[in-house]
Amino acid sequence: MSELSLTTSPRKSMPRNARPVARQESVVQGDHWRFTVLTDSLIRVEWSDSGVFEDHCTQMVVDRDFEPAADIHMRQYEQDGLLVIDTPDVRLTYDRKPFTKEGLQITPKGMDGFCSTWHFGDNQHANLGGTARTLDGVDGSTEIGVGLNSPDGWSIIDDSATNILVMPDDPAYPQAMQGLQGIGIAPRAQHGIDLYFFGYGHRYRQAVQDFYRLTGATPLLPRFALGNWWSRYYPYSADEYTALMDRFHAEGVPFTMAVIDMDWHITDVDRAIGGGWTGYTWNRDLFPDPKAFLHDLHERGMKVTLNIHPRDGVRAFEEAYPKMAATMGVDAVKGETIEFDLTDPKFVDAYFDMHHDLEDEGVDFWWIDWQQGGLTKQVGLDPLWMLNHLHYLDSARDGRWPLTFSRYAGPGSHRYPIGFSGDTVVSWDSLRFQPYFTATASNIGYGWWSHDIGGHMMGVRDEELEARWYQLGTFSPINRLHSTNSLFNGKEPWNFHEPVCSAMTKILRLRQALVPYLYTMNWRNAAEGLELIEPMYWQHSDHGESYGVPNEYYFGSEMIVAPITDPMDDAAMRGKVKVWLPQGQWFDLFTGRRYQVADESGVQFHAWRTIDEVPVFAKAGGIVPMQSDDRSNAVANPEAMRLLVFPGADGQFTMREDDGRFRDNGDLAAMHTADTTIDFTWDQPSLRIGAVSGDATVVPARRSWQVTFRGVADTAVTLGGTPCETTYDAETLSLTVDLPATSVAEDLVLGFPDGLKLAENPVEHDIYALLKDAQMAYTIKEEAYGLLRTRGVKALHTLDTLEYTSRDNHGEHHYRMPEALTSAIEEILLRDC
């Protein structure tokens, strides 16, 4: 897999492994047109009036030399005066004239329907979407760009207008050196058409994986990025901030990232020289000793990023101004503003030197908050893309683990994680849009979105809304709480009433516990091109129902998540979400309730959950590794582990850990890793936690495990044939065994001498609990419970007929069975259908 990485001097380098020139045997070319068959499903389509074609890397594309060439099975021939290029997956026909709808078409094979053929210029009306630059100010939904996937089986990504990357000694592009001193970004000399046709049918996952081959892999994130992030636009002082972090610690609410918004720097600026958004000098009234403040956060186990709005350049009041003015040749006495200009090589060097000085104080990476449009002095060069590109490359200097935090700047932006989606309005509409927005971004390979969890500004205070947003955050790529500086909009859990406060704390701890699982998925994404978040239609594209649950998604290899994004029903005292589960056995991650789906087309239902529950379903055979410590900020490879295991099928999970060091410019093969493979066998039940393979020095020498089998009946357990003490929780149908600290060089094998059986779904118990909470007439509640106890699922069709009339001095009062209760009961009764 191709990946974009760095050389020793990143700001003066090309991407490592950049191979922009395609193999000649993949190219079919005329005087003004060229087709490059990159895979059997991926074709580059070019037109050049001059007859000169572009073979440089572009802002999006870094590799066209796909290996091995034997993977391409192309035939080229003439038919009825047309050029035909035929592969096992697509068929291209072309009349050798300037491109028209009538003259150029490509058909993915095996697709039905009149829209399954692309004609040049066609609208991608069925495209499943990609992502958008920002959600700033959005209240609900926003328009998103195209992605790689479509039910029609094809998509087009247009690369015609991007700049190119050139080597420093390229004589054809001296302007790139004049403008960017070795960075090698230049406008294209030849203007024409440069399209990439993705004809993958419904092989959505493969389309994204091959997009990564073309554009570079998503880099591996550092482990700390996968915990909870605390962020607020608020003028904290250093003492206030550290006191808040200590309060979080005392409450057992873990945060691994401190995000300091713009008030870290001087914001009270003379309006004659501009606003206070841009700044690079610590506000000493709030932070009298910045180095000590950053050190204190590091001592608390947190990394730190600072917000920058670089638009207004560097002004005379900045501490960095004299040094920067000397570098730029500006008369510091006159105090002229040093203009922000990424096309000026002297400015680029001075700009990063200024950031290096701040990093020497303890800043770990930068939050690039660019909001000012897409123009620079260089034609076609988006300043946001350039900031992302330069900051990411620069952040890797001296062997550091590179990381940026910024907005999306078009296809290929996945090379510069992490994404900041912007300041949303606090509303149910905003929450409702974000699961869909996050999942759809995977269609353009942009997997590491960070949203303002809880919403940023305006809107209304709604404690239930906040709790549900926290639940989405825990099952999001990045979980960053953020809000505006309103005195009433703090996101601290203790600012909310019970049971919301406890629900928030519980879900934040779960996110911390999930770091081992998330980090393994992080490695899977970087090494194999598999996303953490996958829309349901990726794995079930031939089931129409999978397209009808836009807010449901796979969360890594083991789970399906369907966040609740609507207010709870007053009668049921629960919130609901539409769920589609594919054929097979699924288990509620938290309660162990089993959903047996026999139908090949899967099953749709409404999942109903209380305020402290979120619908998460683990597959039969699923294995979820977690860390035992869910209250501290620790992200080191843990000594104490928890393991959730789900019955009903064989399963295997290989947990990946490393030593936390970024080696050889991001070459994954050079990193020091350790793998722990867990195997679960169902037919003859056993669980094996394998000895660590790879570099065992990167993990603790001894490790304890708490293993929980969810959704099973109580039974005996042995370790290496020796009986173990166990506990059984009937409420969550969970059998738990605690294994003492043991050398990681040893295999641990759990056996079940009496077998391991699925627990019976506690239908009557769950219906009673539901009806007990229900806000409804007691008479109807009692009648419904009696019917359900005696008739079970056969009582469903009669529930809606239940009604009751009472009379008093105020007249008649008519009551009916609430529809919400019927739907919630239906979920319980149909789990095994």
Side-chain angles (χ1 to χ4, degrees):
M1 181 181 298
S2 168
E3 57 186 271
L4 186 76
S5 57
L6 325 166
T7 63
T8 304
S9 181
R11 295 208 313 275
K12 297 178 176 135
S13 68
M14 292 288 287
R16 188 175 64 83
N17 291 347
R19 302 179 304 181
V21 181
R23 296 176 178 239
Q24 192 56 43
E25 58 266 35
S26 300
V27 176
V28 181
Q29 182 174 344
D31 290 340
H32 297 285
W33 52 267
R34 184 169 72 167
F35 303 112
T36 306
V37 181
L38 296 167
T39 74
D40 287 345
S41 302
L42 174 56
I43 300 179
R44 186 186 189 194
V45 176
E46 297 173 274
W47 178 272
S48 170
D49 288 336
S50 69
V52 177
F53 297 95
E54 188 56 74
D55 283 327
H56 290 87
C57 292
T58 72
Q59 289 174 268
M60 182 180 84
V61 175
V62 300
D63 187 0
R64 302 184 189 97
D65 184 10
F66 283 20
E67 293 181 342
D71 284 350
I72 299 173
H73 309 91
M74 176 181 67
R75 292 191 303 127
Q76 172 191 344
Y77 56 90
E78 297 284 330
Q79 186 177 57
D80 300 326
L82 299 175
L83 168 68
V84 178
I85 298 175
D86 191 81
T87 79
D89 296 332
V90 300
R91 186 175 190 268
L92 178 151
T93 60
Y94 174 50
D95 63 4
R96 291 189 172 85
K97 299 176 183 179
F99 294 162
T100 63
K101 287 180 180 290
E102 297 79 12
L104 174 60
Q105 61 182 23
I106 309 177
T107 302
K109 296 179 179 179
M111 301 299 299
D112 296 324
F114 67 94
C115 292
S116 61
T117 293
W118 171 72
H119 303 82
F120 175 76
D122 275 352
N123 188 326
Q124 302 189 62
H125 67 278
N127 193 280
L128 290 166
T131 193
R133 188 178 181 104
T134 181
L135 295 180
D136 274 340
V138 171
D139 186 359
S141 64
T142 193
E143 184 178 354
I144 59 176
V146 299
L148 305 168
N149 297 318
S150 168
D152 287 341
W154 60 266
S155 66
I156 294 290
I157 302 296
D158 190 346
D159 197 37
S160 305
T162 60
N163 276 214
I164 60 171
L165 281 64
V166 298
M167 295 297 291
D169 57 353
D170 191 330
Y173 289 91
Q175 71 271 32
M177 302 309 102
Q178 294 169 3
L180 292 170
Q181 191 187 356
I183 298 168
I185 309 293
R188 297 184 184 220
Q190 309 299 327
H191 299 288
I193 297 168
D194 189 0
L195 310 176
Y196 289 85
F197 174 87
F198 287 77
Y200 284 81
H202 290 168
R203 291 172 288 124
Y204 300 143
R205 179 186 276 180
Q206 186 180 346
V208 174
Q209 288 176 306
D210 283 349
F211 178 70
Y212 285 150
R213 293 175 68 185
L214 180 71
T215 60
T218 299
L220 188 71
L221 300 185
R223 195 177 180 97
F224 64 79
L226 301 177
N228 297 309
W229 296 35
W230 177 257
S231 178
R232 188 181 182 192
Y233 174 33
Y234 189 83
Y236 292 107
S237 69
D239 289 343
E240 287 174 327
Y241 201 95
T242 52
L244 176 60
M245 297 305 107
D246 290 341
R247 172 77 184 272
F248 280 132
H249 178 73
E251 299 281 347
V253 180
F255 286 95
T256 61
M257 271 300 311
V259 184
I260 317 295
D261 214 315
M262 58 176 289
D263 286 293
W264 72 269
H265 63 73
I266 295 172
T267 58
D268 186 10
V269 177
D270 185 346
R271 306 304 290 181
I273 61 171
W277 290 89
T278 299
Y280 304 99
T281 302
W282 283 94
N283 182 337
R284 304 288 172 160
D285 292 334
L286 297 177
F287 302 95
D289 188 345
K291 191 171 183 179
F293 169 66
L294 297 171
H295 175 77
D296 287 346
L297 292 179
H298 289 153
E299 286 292 300
R300 289 165 171 80
M302 305 179 77
K303 299 293 184 180
V304 186
T305 183
L306 302 185
N307 176 278
I308 52 171
H309 291 82
R311 182 195 67 171
D312 290 338
V314 180
R315 292 163 289 182
F317 66 84
E318 302 282 9
E319 292 178 358
Y321 181 81
K323 179 180 177 182
M324 199 167 188
T327 301
M328 297 291 296
V330 172
D331 186 349
V333 175
K334 294 181 178 179
E336 297 176 354
T337 296
I338 299 171
E339 180 185 3
F340 175 77
D341 182 6
L342 293 177
T343 67
D344 182 341
K346 289 194 296 183
F347 175 81
V348 169
D349 285 341
Y351 173 83
F352 280 102
D353 285 345
M354 174 177 63
H355 285 78
H356 297 166
D357 289 341
L358 291 164
E359 289 169 20
D360 288 343
E361 294 179 338
V363 179
D364 294 294
F365 62 99
W366 298 95
W367 172 10
I368 307 159
D369 203 350
W370 180 264
Q371 305 174 51
Q372 286 79 28
L375 296 177
T376 63
K377 292 180 180 179
Q378 182 158 303
V379 175
L381 182 61
D382 182 349
L384 174 60
W385 184 91
M386 197 62 182
L387 280 164
N388 294 348
H389 178 72
L390 293 176
H391 268 282
Y392 187 81
L393 297 180
D394 182 76
S395 68
R397 76 184 194 285
D398 302 328
R400 299 174 182 226
W401 197 307
L403 193 64
T404 48
F405 182 40
S406 185
R407 288 175 171 82
Y408 176 77
S413 292
H414 61 270
R415 297 193 304 256
Y416 315 115
I418 294 167
F420 159 57
S421 68
D423 301 336
T424 49
V425 173
V426 181
S427 70
W428 284 100
D429 284 340
S430 292
L431 171 60
R432 199 173 294 119
F433 180 64
Q434 286 191 1
Y436 163 76
F437 181 78
T438 309
T440 303
S442 294
N443 287 329
I444 197 65
Y446 198 70
W448 293 112
W449 264 128
S450 161
H451 304 307
D452 284 10
I453 296 302
H456 180 75
M457 59 187 181
M458 298 186 291
V460 297
R461 180 181 175 93
D462 185 322
E463 298 203 359
E464 181 193 357
L465 169 64
E466 292 296 313
R468 295 303 189 193
W469 222 320
Y470 276 48
Q471 291 166 359
L472 169 65
T474 287
F475 293 99
S476 291
I478 301 295
N479 188 27
R480 179 181 55 87
L481 279 58
H482 188 54
S483 61
T484 189
N485 59 2
S486 167
L487 291 174
F488 303 104
N489 199 9
K491 294 292 191 291
E492 298 90 341
W494 53 82
N495 285 338
F496 299 85
H497 299 88
E498 293 294 355
V500 167
C501 175
S502 293
M504 289 176 164
T505 300
K506 171 185 172 182
I507 209 70
L508 290 171
R509 289 174 181 167
L510 176 60
R511 176 67 184 206
Q512 181 73 359
L514 283 169
V515 167
Y517 176 78
L518 292 165
Y519 197 65
T520 300
M521 296 300 107
N522 174 31
W523 261 97
R524 188 181 76 145
N525 181 217
E528 302 176 43
L530 297 174
E531 300 293 336
L532 171 66
I533 305 284
E534 291 186 357
M536 293 303 294
Y537 50 77
W538 273 33
Q539 295 190 40
H540 308 283
S541 57
D542 293 333
H543 293 283
E545 297 88 349
S546 68
Y547 297 86
V549 283
N551 279 13
E552 181 182 341
Y553 49 86
Y554 277 92
F555 189 67
S557 60
E558 310 299 291
M559 290 180 263
I560 289 174
V561 179
I564 292 174
T565 57
D566 287 295
M568 70 170 56
D569 180 87
D570 290 338
M573 294 292 289
R574 285 159 169 75
K576 72 172 181 179
V577 62
K578 180 182 174 182
V579 170
W580 175 76
L581 289 180
Q583 186 180 37
Q585 286 192 103
W586 300 88
F587 294 82
D588 185 291
L589 183 78
F590 304 99
T591 69
R593 271 47 174 182
R594 184 177 75 256
Y595 294 74
Q596 178 68 47
V597 183
D599 197 309
E600 290 184 0
S601 63
V603 64
Q604 288 187 5
F605 60 94
H606 283 116
W608 293 83
R609 299 293 185 271
T610 57
I611 191 63
D612 63 342
E613 298 174 331
V614 56
V616 181
F617 305 92
K619 67 183 183 182
I623 299 170
V624 181
M626 305 163 69
Q627 60 190 47
S628 294
D629 183 1
D630 60 5
R631 293 170 177 257
S632 78
N633 303 338
V635 293
N637 299 327
E639 294 183 356
M641 294 288 302
R642 294 163 56 194
L643 200 63
L644 290 182
V645 183
F646 296 87
D650 294 348
Q652 184 181 85
F653 190 95
T654 298
M655 182 175 68
R656 169 65 58 88
E657 299 168 281
D658 59 45
D659 64 352
R661 293 184 59 192
F662 184 78
R663 284 186 168 82
D664 288 3
N665 303 318
D667 182 0
L668 297 182
M671 296 189 68
H672 293 196
T673 62
D675 288 346
T676 303
T677 297
I678 302 115
D679 290 291
F680 177 64
T681 303
W682 175 241
D683 287 342
Q684 296 181 333
S686 69
L687 179 85
R688 174 183 171 272
I689 301 173
V692 166
S693 62
D695 185 353
T697 65
V698 308
V699 299
R702 298 174 66 81
R703 177 171 272 169
S704 64
W705 295 84
Q706 182 185 76
V707 184
T708 297
F709 300 89
R710 195 84 91 202
V712 301
D714 195 5
T715 192
V717 181
T718 61
L719 172 61
T722 302
C724 298
E725 289 189 13
T726 63
T727 58
Y728 187 78
D729 181 0
E731 192 65 35
T732 62
L733 311 178
S734 298
L735 174 68
T736 298
V737 57
D738 289 299
L739 306 180
T742 308
S743 169
V744 296
E746 298 179 20
D747 286 355
L748 301 175
V749 180
L750 296 180
F752 306 88
D754 300 324
L756 185 62
K757 297 179 180 180
L758 297 173
E760 294 293 331
N761 267 321
V763 174
E764 185 175 326
H765 170 279
D766 292 349
I767 289 176
Y768 173 79
L770 174 67
L771 290 172
K772 181 174 181 290
D773 290 343
Q775 308 294 292
M776 58 184 286
Y778 283 111
T779 300
I780 296 177
K781 185 182 295 195
E782 290 161 358
E783 187 176 358
Y785 187 52
L787 281 170
L788 292 163
R789 290 187 67 191
T790 57
R791 301 187 62 193
V793 71
K794 293 180 180 179
L796 269 179
H797 70 280
T798 65
L799 293 181
D800 288 339
T801 68
L802 300 182
E803 55 187 36
Y804 168 68
T805 301
S806 67
R807 296 174 178 84
D808 58 23
N809 293 335
H810 299 286
E812 290 189 353
H813 304 278
H814 190 68
Y815 304 94
R816 297 182 59 86
M817 180 74 175
E819 292 183 8
L821 266 296
T822 301
S823 174
I825 290 168
E826 184 178 46
E827 178 194 357
I828 296 170
L829 290 174
L830 297 182
R831 287 174 186 154
D832 290 329
C833 297

